[in-house]
PDB file of all heavy atoms in Angstrom:
ATOM      1  N   ARG A 287      10.454  -2.426   2.024  1.00 96.00           N
ATOM      2  CA  ARG A 287       9.776  -2.354   0.731  1.00 96.00           C
ATOM      3  C   ARG A 287       8.457  -3.112   0.786  1.00 96.00           C
ATOM      4  O   ARG A 287       8.303  -4.044   1.566  1.00 96.00           O
ATOM      5  CB  ARG A 287      10.639  -2.962  -0.375  1.00 96.00           C
ATOM      6  CG  ARG A 287      12.013  -2.368  -0.503  1.00 96.00           C
ATOM      7  CD  ARG A 287      12.758  -3.019  -1.640  1.00 96.00           C
ATOM      8  NE  ARG A 287      14.155  -2.598  -1.688  1.00 96.00           N
ATOM      9  CZ  ARG A 287      14.985  -2.898  -2.667  1.00 96.00           C
ATOM     10  NH1 ARG A 287      14.570  -3.633  -3.672  1.00 96.00           N
ATOM     11  NH2 ARG A 287      16.229  -2.468  -2.646  1.00 96.00           N
ATOM     12  N   ALA A 288       7.531  -2.725  -0.089  1.00 96.00           N
ATOM     13  CA  ALA A 288       6.264  -3.437  -0.247  1.00 96.00           C
ATOM     14  C   ALA A 288       5.812  -3.296  -1.694  1.00 96.00           C
ATOM     15  O   ALA A 288       6.194  -2.354  -2.385  1.00 96.00           O
ATOM     16  CB  ALA A 288       5.204  -2.894   0.716  1.00 96.00           C
ATOM     17  N   LYS A 289       4.994  -4.249  -2.137  1.00 96.00           N
ATOM     18  CA  LYS A 289       4.535  -4.259  -3.527  1.00 96.00           C
ATOM     19  C   LYS A 289       3.107  -4.777  -3.576  1.00 96.00           C
ATOM     20  O   LYS A 289       2.742  -5.696  -2.832  1.00 96.00           O
ATOM     21  CB  LYS A 289       5.458  -5.142  -4.375  1.00 96.00           C
ATOM     22  CG  LYS A 289       5.035  -5.327  -5.818  1.00 96.00           C
ATOM     23  CD  LYS A 289       5.993  -6.272  -6.521  1.00 96.00           C
ATOM     24  CE  LYS A 289       5.532  -6.616  -7.937  1.00 96.00           C
ATOM     25  NZ  LYS A 289       6.458  -7.570  -8.607  1.00 96.00           N
ATOM     26  N   SER A 290       2.293  -4.193  -4.456  1.00 96.00           N
ATOM     27  CA  SER A 290       0.917  -4.634  -4.622  1.00 96.00           C
ATOM     28  C   SER A 290       0.479  -4.366  -6.054  1.00 96.00           C
ATOM     29  O   SER A 290       1.038  -3.500  -6.732  1.00 96.00           O
ATOM     30  CB  SER A 290      -0.003  -3.905  -3.639  1.00 96.00           C
ATOM     31  OG  SER A 290      -1.347  -4.340  -3.778  1.00 96.00           O
ATOM     32  N   ALA A 291      -0.517  -5.095  -6.502  1.00 95.00           N
ATOM     33  CA  ALA A 291      -1.069  -4.866  -7.845  1.00 95.00           C
ATOM     34  C   ALA A 291      -1.826  -3.542  -7.879  1.00 95.00           C
ATOM     35  O   ALA A 291      -2.451  -3.148  -6.895  1.00 95.00           O
ATOM     36  CB  ALA A 291      -1.993  -6.010  -8.230  1.00 95.00           C
ATOM     37  N   THR A 292      -1.750  -2.853  -9.013  1.00 94.00           N
ATOM     38  CA  THR A 292      -2.490  -1.602  -9.197  1.00 94.00           C
ATOM     39  C   THR A 292      -3.888  -1.936  -9.680  1.00 94.00           C
ATOM     40  O   THR A 292      -4.112  -2.169 -10.867  1.00 94.00           O
ATOM     41  CB  THR A 292      -1.773  -0.695 -10.214  1.00 94.00           C
ATOM     42  OG1 THR A 292      -0.408  -0.557  -9.846  1.00 94.00           O
ATOM     43  CG2 THR A 292      -2.413   0.678 -10.261  1.00 94.00           C
ATOM     44  N   LYS A 293      -4.829  -1.976  -8.752  1.00 92.00           N
ATOM     45  CA  LYS A 293      -6.201  -2.358  -9.096  1.00 92.00           C
ATOM     46  C   LYS A 293      -7.199  -1.372  -8.497  1.00 92.00           C
ATOM     47  O   LYS A 293      -7.017  -0.900  -7.379  1.00 92.00           O
ATOM     48  CB  LYS A 293      -6.515  -3.762  -8.561  1.00 92.00           C
ATOM     49  CG  LYS A 293      -5.739  -4.884  -9.225  1.00 92.00           C
ATOM     50  CD  LYS A 293      -6.157  -6.226  -8.655  1.00 92.00           C
ATOM     51  CE  LYS A 293      -5.409  -7.373  -9.329  1.00 92.00           C
ATOM     52  NZ  LYS A 293      -5.811  -8.690  -8.768  1.00 92.00           N
ATOM     53  N   GLY A 294      -8.246  -1.072  -9.267  1.00 94.00           N
ATOM     54  CA  GLY A 294      -9.332  -0.274  -8.734  1.00 94.00           C
ATOM     55  C   GLY A 294      -9.275   1.184  -9.134  1.00 94.00           C
ATOM     56  O   GLY A 294      -8.459   1.621  -9.952  1.00 94.00           O
ATOM     57  N   SER A 295     -10.149   1.953  -8.522  1.00 96.00           N
ATOM     58  CA  SER A 295     -10.259   3.388  -8.770  1.00 96.00           C
ATOM     59  C   SER A 295      -9.104   4.125  -8.091  1.00 96.00           C
ATOM     60  O   SER A 295      -8.364   3.541  -7.280  1.00 96.00           O
ATOM     61  CB  SER A 295     -11.577   3.894  -8.196  1.00 96.00           C
ATOM     62  OG  SER A 295     -11.564   3.803  -6.777  1.00 96.00           O
ATOM     63  N   PRO A 296      -8.933   5.410  -8.381  1.00 97.00           N
ATOM     64  CA  PRO A 296      -7.890   6.176  -7.695  1.00 97.00           C
ATOM     65  C   PRO A 296      -8.018   6.124  -6.171  1.00 97.00           C
ATOM     66  O   PRO A 296      -7.007   6.004  -5.466  1.00 97.00           O
ATOM     67  CB  PRO A 296      -8.104   7.598  -8.230  1.00 97.00           C
ATOM     68  CG  PRO A 296      -8.664   7.400  -9.592  1.00 97.00           C
ATOM     69  CD  PRO A 296      -9.556   6.206  -9.476  1.00 97.00           C
ATOM     70  N   VAL A 297      -9.240   6.178  -5.663  1.00 97.00           N
ATOM     71  CA  VAL A 297      -9.435   6.124  -4.204  1.00 97.00           C
ATOM     72  C   VAL A 297      -9.016   4.761  -3.667  1.00 97.00           C
ATOM     73  O   VAL A 297      -8.358   4.662  -2.617  1.00 97.00           O
ATOM     74  CB  VAL A 297     -10.909   6.412  -3.841  1.00 97.00           C
ATOM     75  CG1 VAL A 297     -11.158   6.165  -2.354  1.00 97.00           C
ATOM     76  CG2 VAL A 297     -11.269   7.849  -4.204  1.00 97.00           C
ATOM     77  N   GLU A 298      -9.355   3.699  -4.394  1.00 97.00           N
ATOM     78  CA  GLU A 298      -8.978   2.351  -3.956  1.00 97.00           C
ATOM     79  C   GLU A 298      -7.473   2.156  -3.996  1.00 97.00           C
ATOM     80  O   GLU A 298      -6.887   1.548  -3.088  1.00 97.00           O
ATOM     81  CB  GLU A 298      -9.680   1.310  -4.834  1.00 97.00           C
ATOM     82  CG  GLU A 298     -11.186   1.241  -4.606  1.00 97.00           C
ATOM     83  CD  GLU A 298     -11.889   0.374  -5.632  1.00 97.00           C
ATOM     84  OE1 GLU A 298     -11.476   0.389  -6.815  1.00 97.00           O
ATOM     85  OE2 GLU A 298     -12.867  -0.299  -5.260  1.00 97.00           O
ATOM     86  N   VAL A 299      -6.833   2.665  -5.029  1.00 97.00           N
ATOM     87  CA  VAL A 299      -5.373   2.544  -5.118  1.00 97.00           C
ATOM     88  C   VAL A 299      -4.697   3.358  -4.017  1.00 97.00           C
ATOM     89  O   VAL A 299      -3.739   2.910  -3.397  1.00 97.00           O
ATOM     90  CB  VAL A 299      -4.881   2.982  -6.515  1.00 97.00           C
ATOM     91  CG1 VAL A 299      -3.350   3.018  -6.552  1.00 97.00           C
ATOM     92  CG2 VAL A 299      -5.401   2.028  -7.586  1.00 97.00           C
ATOM     93  N   ALA A 300      -5.210   4.557  -3.759  1.00 97.00           N
ATOM     94  CA  ALA A 300      -4.660   5.384  -2.680  1.00 97.00           C
ATOM     95  C   ALA A 300      -4.796   4.678  -1.334  1.00 97.00           C
ATOM     96  O   ALA A 300      -3.882   4.721  -0.498  1.00 97.00           O
ATOM     97  CB  ALA A 300      -5.368   6.740  -2.644  1.00 97.00           C
ATOM     98  N   THR A 301      -5.918   4.011  -1.116  1.00 97.00           N
ATOM     99  CA  THR A 301      -6.132   3.269   0.131  1.00 97.00           C
ATOM    100  C   THR A 301      -5.151   2.109   0.235  1.00 97.00           C
ATOM    101  O   THR A 301      -4.594   1.842   1.315  1.00 97.00           O
ATOM    102  CB  THR A 301      -7.577   2.749   0.198  1.00 97.00           C
ATOM    103  OG1 THR A 301      -8.484   3.860   0.113  1.00 97.00           O
ATOM    104  CG2 THR A 301      -7.833   2.005   1.498  1.00 97.00           C
ATOM    105  N   THR A 302      -4.920   1.419  -0.871  1.00 97.00           N
ATOM    106  CA  THR A 302      -3.933   0.344  -0.900  1.00 97.00           C
ATOM    107  C   THR A 302      -2.551   0.875  -0.548  1.00 97.00           C
ATOM    108  O   THR A 302      -1.803   0.263   0.217  1.00 97.00           O
ATOM    109  CB  THR A 302      -3.899  -0.327  -2.284  1.00 97.00           C
ATOM    110  OG1 THR A 302      -5.161  -0.936  -2.550  1.00 97.00           O
ATOM    111  CG2 THR A 302      -2.800  -1.379  -2.370  1.00 97.00           C
ATOM    112  N   MET A 303      -2.213   2.034  -1.102  1.00 97.00           N
ATOM    113  CA  MET A 303      -0.904   2.629  -0.842  1.00 97.00           C
ATOM    114  C   MET A 303      -0.742   3.013   0.629  1.00 97.00           C
ATOM    115  O   MET A 303       0.335   2.839   1.211  1.00 97.00           O
ATOM    116  CB  MET A 303      -0.696   3.832  -1.757  1.00 97.00           C
ATOM    117  CG  MET A 303      -0.531   3.434  -3.216  1.00 97.00           C
ATOM    118  SD  MET A 303      -0.629   4.813  -4.388  1.00 97.00           S
ATOM    119  CE  MET A 303       0.781   5.794  -3.922  1.00 97.00           C
ATOM    120  N   ALA A 304      -1.796   3.514   1.240  1.00 97.00           N
ATOM    121  CA  ALA A 304      -1.727   3.852   2.658  1.00 97.00           C
ATOM    122  C   ALA A 304      -1.482   2.601   3.487  1.00 97.00           C
ATOM    123  O   ALA A 304      -0.706   2.625   4.458  1.00 97.00           O
ATOM    124  CB  ALA A 304      -3.026   4.539   3.091  1.00 97.00           C
ATOM    125  N   GLY A 305      -2.124   1.498   3.095  1.00 97.00           N
ATOM    126  CA  GLY A 305      -1.889   0.237   3.795  1.00 97.00           C
ATOM    127  C   GLY A 305      -0.462  -0.258   3.615  1.00 97.00           C
ATOM    128  O   GLY A 305       0.154  -0.787   4.558  1.00 97.00           O
ATOM    129  N   MET A 306       0.098  -0.091   2.418  1.00 97.00           N
ATOM    130  CA  MET A 306       1.484  -0.479   2.164  1.00 97.00           C
ATOM    131  C   MET A 306       2.440   0.350   3.011  1.00 97.00           C
ATOM    132  O   MET A 306       3.442  -0.162   3.532  1.00 97.00           O
ATOM    133  CB  MET A 306       1.811  -0.316   0.676  1.00 97.00           C
ATOM    134  CG  MET A 306       1.023  -1.232  -0.234  1.00 97.00           C
ATOM    135  SD  MET A 306       1.180  -0.765  -1.981  1.00 97.00           S
ATOM    136  CE  MET A 306       2.919  -1.090  -2.257  1.00 97.00           C
ATOM    137  N   ALA A 307       2.122   1.639   3.149  1.00 97.00           N
ATOM    138  CA  ALA A 307       2.962   2.519   3.962  1.00 97.00           C
ATOM    139  C   ALA A 307       2.993   2.043   5.407  1.00 97.00           C
ATOM    140  O   ALA A 307       4.064   1.947   6.038  1.00 97.00           O
ATOM    141  CB  ALA A 307       2.455   3.952   3.888  1.00 97.00           C
ATOM    142  N   ASP A 308       1.808   1.720   5.939  1.00 96.00           N
ATOM    143  CA  ASP A 308       1.746   1.238   7.324  1.00 96.00           C
ATOM    144  C   ASP A 308       2.478  -0.094   7.479  1.00 96.00           C
ATOM    145  O   ASP A 308       3.113  -0.357   8.501  1.00 96.00           O
ATOM    146  CB  ASP A 308       0.287   1.096   7.762  1.00 96.00           C
ATOM    147  CG  ASP A 308      -0.380   2.448   8.007  1.00 96.00           C
ATOM    148  OD1 ASP A 308       0.346   3.418   8.309  1.00 96.00           O
ATOM    149  OD2 ASP A 308      -1.614   2.534   7.891  1.00 96.00           O
ATOM    150  N   GLU A 309       2.391  -0.942   6.457  1.00 96.00           N
ATOM    151  CA  GLU A 309       3.100  -2.224   6.475  1.00 96.00           C
ATOM    152  C   GLU A 309       4.614  -2.010   6.578  1.00 96.00           C
ATOM    153  O   GLU A 309       5.301  -2.663   7.369  1.00 96.00           O
ATOM    154  CB  GLU A 309       2.758  -3.010   5.207  1.00 96.00           C
ATOM    155  CG  GLU A 309       3.501  -4.322   5.053  1.00 96.00           C
ATOM    156  CD  GLU A 309       3.234  -4.976   3.702  1.00 96.00           C
ATOM    157  OE1 GLU A 309       2.181  -4.675   3.082  1.00 96.00           O
ATOM    158  OE2 GLU A 309       4.073  -5.781   3.255  1.00 96.00           O
ATOM    159  N   CYS A 310       5.129  -1.081   5.774  1.00 96.00           N
ATOM    160  CA  CYS A 310       6.567  -0.787   5.811  1.00 96.00           C
ATOM    161  C   CYS A 310       6.978  -0.193   7.163  1.00 96.00           C
ATOM    162  O   CYS A 310       8.026  -0.543   7.717  1.00 96.00           O
ATOM    163  CB  CYS A 310       6.932   0.179   4.688  1.00 96.00           C
ATOM    164  SG  CYS A 310       6.972  -0.554   3.035  1.00 96.00           S
ATOM    165  N   LEU A 311       6.152   0.689   7.685  1.00 96.00           N
ATOM    166  CA  LEU A 311       6.469   1.312   8.965  1.00 96.00           C
ATOM    167  C   LEU A 311       6.483   0.286  10.093  1.00 96.00           C
ATOM    168  O   LEU A 311       7.366   0.299  10.953  1.00 96.00           O
ATOM    169  CB  LEU A 311       5.473   2.431   9.263  1.00 96.00           C
ATOM    170  CG  LEU A 311       5.599   3.690   8.401  1.00 96.00           C
ATOM    171  CD1 LEU A 311       4.396   4.603   8.589  1.00 96.00           C
ATOM    172  CD2 LEU A 311       6.889   4.437   8.727  1.00 96.00           C
ATOM    173  N   ARG A 312       5.489  -0.616  10.104  1.00 96.00           N
ATOM    174  CA  ARG A 312       5.457  -1.654  11.136  1.00 96.00           C
ATOM    175  C   ARG A 312       6.690  -2.541  11.058  1.00 96.00           C
ATOM    176  O   ARG A 312       7.308  -2.868  12.078  1.00 96.00           O
ATOM    177  CB  ARG A 312       4.201  -2.509  10.984  1.00 96.00           C
ATOM    178  CG  ARG A 312       2.929  -1.877  11.515  1.00 96.00           C
ATOM    179  CD  ARG A 312       1.822  -2.909  11.653  1.00 96.00           C
ATOM    180  NE  ARG A 312       1.525  -3.564  10.387  1.00 96.00           N
ATOM    181  CZ  ARG A 312       0.629  -3.117   9.505  1.00 96.00           C
ATOM    182  NH1 ARG A 312      -0.042  -2.003   9.764  1.00 96.00           N
ATOM    183  NH2 ARG A 312       0.406  -3.778   8.394  1.00 96.00           N
ATOM    184  N   ALA A 313       7.065  -2.941   9.841  1.00 96.00           N
ATOM    185  CA  ALA A 313       8.222  -3.819   9.669  1.00 96.00           C
ATOM    186  C   ALA A 313       9.511  -3.145  10.114  1.00 96.00           C
ATOM    187  O   ALA A 313      10.449  -3.810  10.566  1.00 96.00           O
ATOM    188  CB  ALA A 313       8.329  -4.252   8.202  1.00 96.00           C
ATOM    189  N   ALA A 314       9.557  -1.815   9.980  1.00 95.00           N
ATOM    190  CA  ALA A 314      10.762  -1.072  10.371  1.00 95.00           C
ATOM    191  C   ALA A 314      10.713  -0.640  11.836  1.00 95.00           C
ATOM    192  O   ALA A 314      11.674  -0.046  12.336  1.00 95.00           O
ATOM    193  CB  ALA A 314      10.925   0.151   9.478  1.00 95.00           C
ATOM    194  N   GLY A 315       9.603  -0.923  12.504  1.00 95.00           N
ATOM    195  CA  GLY A 315       9.460  -0.484  13.894  1.00 95.00           C
ATOM    196  C   GLY A 315       9.380   1.021  14.011  1.00 95.00           C
ATOM    197  O   GLY A 315       9.841   1.607  14.996  1.00 95.00           O
TER     198      GLY A 315
END
């Protein structure tokens, strides 16, 4: 799991979400 504040424009939020996805994937190997 990962959590982040919803801040910025749609593009900025989408970019944050992509980073969260990579964070979860790395943690799960």
Side-chain angles (χ1 to χ4, degrees):
R287 304 181 188 188
K289 176 183 174 181
S290 181
T292 309
K293 293 182 179 180
S295 67
V297 172
E298 290 171 323
V299 173
T301 302
T302 297
M303 291 168 64
M306 295 168 66
D308 287 335
E309 176 186 337
C310 285
L311 289 168
R312 282 195 302 271

